[in-house]
Structure formats: C-alpha cells, structure tokens
Amino acid sequence: KTGALIGVYSPPTAGIPGMSVRGEEVSTLDGSDRRPTLGDGARWGEGGEARATRDGILSIKSPGIIDVLDHVEHNGDVDLKSGDLESGKSLVINGSVRQGMMVRTQEEIRISGDIEKGIVSAGRSIAVTGIVIGSELSSVIADQDIAVKSAQGATLLCGGRLEIEGDSFSTTASASSVVIAGRLVGGTVDAESLVTVGVAGGSSARTVVRVAVPIGDLEGEARRVASYARGHRAAKEMRGHDVISVRGLGIKKPHRNP
C-alpha cells in the first residue's frame, strides 16, 4: 500500500579490531555504504526508511534495486472460465494456473497457488507459492528470478536466480544460479555460476547437474509462448468447430455435421 514501510537502511559503521588466540590484535576494515537504489514506486524517508509511493507488489532485483510495481490482481484460478491472462502490468494471481492456460506479462508475476501444466512468462521475476507441475508443452520463463515451492516434470528458465524451496523431480532447469533446498531427483539442472542442492540423485532416475553452462534460450522459449498465444487467439476467433491439439497450440479443426 502507498506509504507502507519497505525497509530501513542502516548506515555503515567503523570496524572494531579483534583479538587472535595468541593475544595479538587483528585489524579490520570500516563498513562501506551500499544503500540500495529505489525505483519510481518507492522513496527514502527519515531515519533511512524506504516507503512505497503507490499500491503494488514489492520487487527486489539484484544487485540492490528495490521498487513497488503497479499490478493487476486476479482472484481465482486461471482456467477455461477466466481465459488466458496477458497484461502490461505486474500480475497477482490469487489462485492456480490450470492445465493448458497461459499467463504472460513483461513485469512481475505472483501466484498464490500452483502451476499445473501451464505456460507462465514474465519480463521480470516469477514467484509461486505452490507446486509447478509441468509437461513437454508447458514452461515457466522469467528474465530475472524464479522462486517456487517445489517442481515436478517442469521446465524452468530464468536469467537470474532459480530457487526451489522443497524438492525437484524430473525437472529441466536453466539459470544463472540454482538453489534447491530439498531433494533433486531426475532431470537436468544447468547454471552459469552456482548450483546448491540439499540431496542430489535417486536410486533409479538419472540426475544431471552442470555448472559453467550458458543459460537456455530464453528468447526461443518466449517465441514459443508467443506462438502459443497466437494459436489460442486464432482458435477463439473460429466458431462452430471442434478443438484439437496440434503441437500444443489451440488450433481448431473444422467439423461437419453428418
């Protein structure tokens, strides 16, 4: 909300010399000023307080850029009843993304439920409170960071940090850095700089972890999402036809009554 406290910045302090086990003084360095940069949706106030200047969702982009983004809120699931969601603003979804549905924006996406074999694409970051269940025709793509509770058979691509709070099963992941707090069983995980895993490998599933590997083709995946969206729109423009799946696109095949 406008005026809400985001955080408080504490200025650097002078270093305090320590003492070694031999009783010798250990010198130290003074702290350096690393005040974060605020975007248009936040401002500095008294006492180092950072406050929101508009209603929206909090965005923290590494390294040290904090903003509050304007957003659109969707209450309920993204399903056949609601249709696909596309917006020029950040999206907050109070529900799940159901099978075959698409959510796309150039800003942030926050999902309080699950992603069930859907396509979700963001120009900034994506945060999912629940599970991401994938298929060969679904993916989760973000130019910046992705954070999810757990993943199963999913495709996760991002240009920043990928964080999985729980377990990952048979998932394909590519990011600058990957942190999986739980088990990694099956699938392939590629990272440019760092992979941290609680427990890796299983008794039967083949698990591949690679570091110093370039990030996957984000632009190619984005083009696939755009193609999927065009197919959906074309399908919706056609009436009186049966729906079939052609390479994951919503293409409608003409149907003639006998």
Side-chain angles (χ1 to χ4, degrees):
K1 296 294 184 180
T2 301
L5 179 64
I6 298 172
V8 179
Y9 175 73
S10 298
T13 60
I16 301 174
M19 189 75 67
S20 71
V21 295
R22 297 180 179 178
E24 300 171 346
E25 183 177 288
V26 178
S27 61
T28 185
L29 298 175
D30 294 340
S32 58
D33 190 353
R34 295 185 178 181
R35 180 185 290 257
T37 301
L38 299 184
D40 294 337
R43 62 173 176 79
W44 291 111
E46 297 180 355
E49 293 183 347
R51 292 189 176 273
T53 59
R54 61 186 172 198
D55 293 352
I57 59 175
L58 181 63
S59 171
I60 301 177
K61 178 184 176 182
S62 57
I65 301 176
I66 300 173
D67 201 358
V68 175
L69 304 176
D70 195 7
H71 74 286
V72 173
E73 191 164 350
H74 176 79
N75 293 315
D77 294 342
V78 180
D79 53 19
L80 292 175
K81 183 178 180 180
S82 70
D84 298 331
L85 293 185
E86 293 187 60
S87 176
K89 299 181 179 181
S90 295
L91 288 170
V92 175
I93 299 171
N94 298 315
S96 298
V97 179
R98 300 302 182 185
Q99 182 172 350
M101 306 309 297
M102 185 187 68
V103 176
R104 185 168 64 159
T105 180
Q106 289 302 311
E107 300 297 329
E108 303 261 348
I109 296 177
R110 299 286 186 268
I111 300 173
S112 63
D114 306 321
I115 299 176
E116 302 173 0
K117 300 180 181 180
I119 290 181
V120 178
S121 174
R124 292 183 181 245
S125 296
I126 297 172
V128 184
T129 303
I131 303 170
V132 178
I133 301 173
S135 71
E136 62 180 5
L137 299 177
S138 64
S139 57
V140 179
I141 316 158
D143 284 359
Q144 296 177 8
D145 303 330
I146 293 177
V148 305
K149 182 178 181 180
S150 60
Q152 180 177 335
T155 298
L156 308 173
L157 277 72
C158 68
R161 173 187 172 102
L162 168 61
E163 184 173 355
I164 300 177
E165 180 183 340
D167 300 329
S168 173
F169 297 100
S170 302
T171 289
T172 299
S174 179
S176 178
S177 63
V178 179
V179 177
I180 302 173
R183 296 174 295 165
L184 171 62
V185 180
T188 300
V189 174
D190 292 338
E192 285 188 323
S193 60
L194 171 72
V195 175
T196 301
V197 178
V199 178
S203 58
S204 59
R206 183 172 183 265
T207 304
V208 178
V209 178
R210 301 183 295 186
V211 182
V213 176
I215 298 172
D217 186 6
L218 294 175
E219 292 185 1
E221 280 295 306
R223 286 194 297 270
R224 189 172 77 89
V225 170
S227 177
Y228 183 89
R230 287 195 296 271
H232 262 273
R233 283 193 292 269
K236 291 171 183 176
E237 291 173 357
M238 300 175 68
R239 300 299 184 221
H241 298 78
D242 291 334
V243 179
I244 63 171
S245 178
V246 180
R247 295 184 182 178
L249 304 182
I251 304 299
K252 294 194 174 183
K253 180 180 180 180
H255 171 74
R256 294 181 180 178
N257 294 322

